[in-house]
């Protein structure tokens, strides 16, 4: 049997992980794994069910949820119990809460289990905050992708503008800074560069 290849990319929000990972996956015919989409789906359901502040209820939901990702034509479609939530997981409301939800260790444990299983199944390009350090520490290639905060804000702002969502540069920047702080400062699986990851700043690329 041929060896399965794992490419892992971590970095802060707006650093271009998804764009890079999607393109690599399409070119190589690998599976694309957007781990952030999984944390976003849990967050969206928690908000919709009114349980986002109730940690035991969120953990219980994360253990039962039937989460499916389908990568089609360059887009990751996300399904929860067969309901499509692809659009709903990218709202400002979800952006504002996802770092709090992804800080819950039991939620991470559930999602990491699923991610590792997907990694066992075939060639994969995975991106997130802990895929180079926790999910796939033995990945064949590890990239730590970064860009300046202003460039990352501009990129996210454009995504919102493309969807006709009214939001200011300052609001987007404040959300990114807040998420960077929580994602990098948390005790469990913080965003950090793995010792053997290649650091790539794509601010000007
Ligand atoms: O990459 P993204 O912006 O879609 O990720 C959304 C949030 O999910 C991010 O702010 C932190 C969390 N996340 C995480 O904690 N671990 C991952 N592997 C991926 C995302």
């Amino acid at each position: 049997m041929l060896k399965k290849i794992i490419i892992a990319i971590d970095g802060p929000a707006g650093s271009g992980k998804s764009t890079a990972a999607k393109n690599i996956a399409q070119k190589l015919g690998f599976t694309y794994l957007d781990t952030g989409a999984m944390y976003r789906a849990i967050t969206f359901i928690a908000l919709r069910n009114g349980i986002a502040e109730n940690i035991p209820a969120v953990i219980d939901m994360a253990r039962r949820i039937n989460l499916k990702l389908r990568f089609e034509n360059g887009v990751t479609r996300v399904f929860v119990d067969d309901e499509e939530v692809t659009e709903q997981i990218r709202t400002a409301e979800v952006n504002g809460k996802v770092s709090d939800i992804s800080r819950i260790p039991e939620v991470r444990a559930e999602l990491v289990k699923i991610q590792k299983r997907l990694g066992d199944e075939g060639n994969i390009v995975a991106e997130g905050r802990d895929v180079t350090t926790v999910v796939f520490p033995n990945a064949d290639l590890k990239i730590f992708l970064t860009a300046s905060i202003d460039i990352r804000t501009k990129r996210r702002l454009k995504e919102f503008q493309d969807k006709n969502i009214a939001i200011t540069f300052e609001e987007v920047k404040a959300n990114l800074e807040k998420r960077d702080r929580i994602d990098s400062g948390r005790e469990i699986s913080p965003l950090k560069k793995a010792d053997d990851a290649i650091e790539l700043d794509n601010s000007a690329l």
Side-chain angles (χ1 to χ4, degrees):
M1 214 168 67
L2 286 176
K3 181 186 177 313
K4 300 197 174 71
I5 298 204
I6 297 180
I7 299 176
I9 306 175
D10 280 326
S15 59
K17 302 183 298 293
S18 308
T19 308
K22 268 181 213 166
N23 285 322
I24 295 167
Q26 274 191 320
K27 274 217 159 93
L28 301 180
F30 284 20
T31 301
Y32 164 52
L33 174 59
D34 176 354
T35 60
M38 301 171 81
Y39 290 96
R40 287 171 176 277
I42 302 277
T43 304
F44 167 68
I45 299 295
L47 287 167
R48 188 171 71 177
N49 293 357
I51 56 165
E53 305 304 325
N54 180 344
I55 292 179
V58 174
I59 294 170
D60 189 52
M61 179 263 287
R63 288 186 175 142
R64 292 160 190 267
I65 200 169
N66 177 11
L67 205 57
K68 285 205 191 84
L69 303 186
R70 287 213 315 253
F71 184 49
E72 290 172 4
N73 305 321
V75 178
T76 298
R77 297 180 65 193
V78 183
F79 298 84
V80 172
D81 296 329
D82 294 327
E83 175 193 354
E84 179 155 19
V85 297
T86 307
E87 296 288 323
Q88 293 97 310
I89 66 167
R90 308 272 167 204
T91 62
E93 199 191 2
V94 170
N95 285 346
K97 195 69 196 160
V98 64
S99 284
D100 287 332
I101 298 293
S102 55
R103 195 153 63 161
I104 304 170
E106 291 88 346
V107 169
R108 302 201 69 81
E110 285 307 308
L111 295 187
V112 167
K113 230 188 312 181
I114 301 172
Q115 293 156 12
K116 282 182 189 277
R117 215 178 297 138
L118 291 170
D120 286 338
E121 285 174 9
N123 296 321
I124 198 166
V125 185
E127 54 106 342
R129 302 295 186 289
D130 63 344
V131 296
T132 59
T133 53
V134 174
V135 187
F136 301 119
N138 299 318
D140 300 276
L141 175 65
K142 299 185 186 185
I143 305 282
F144 188 75
L145 204 58
T146 63
S148 71
I149 179 73
D150 281 352
I151 293 283
R152 292 191 285 122
T153 303
K154 268 192 204 156
R155 291 175 183 165
R156 270 293 141 95
L157 184 63
K158 184 170 180 306
E159 284 176 15
F160 282 117
Q161 286 168 341
D162 288 347
K163 292 184 198 160
N164 288 320
I165 295 169
I167 192 163
T168 66
F169 183 91
E170 283 68 31
E171 284 168 332
V172 175
K173 185 171 177 175
N175 171 262
L176 288 183
E177 284 175 334
K178 177 173 167 238
R179 282 209 282 149
D180 284 355
R181 208 166 43 244
I182 301 178
D183 296 344
S184 306
R186 68 179 174 224
E187 249 168 64
I188 312 276
S189 310
L191 168 66
K192 63 167 191 224
K193 181 187 161 305
D195 289 339
D196 52 353
I198 298 166
E199 183 163 354
L200 197 68
D201 183 329
N202 68 10
S203 301
L205 298 175

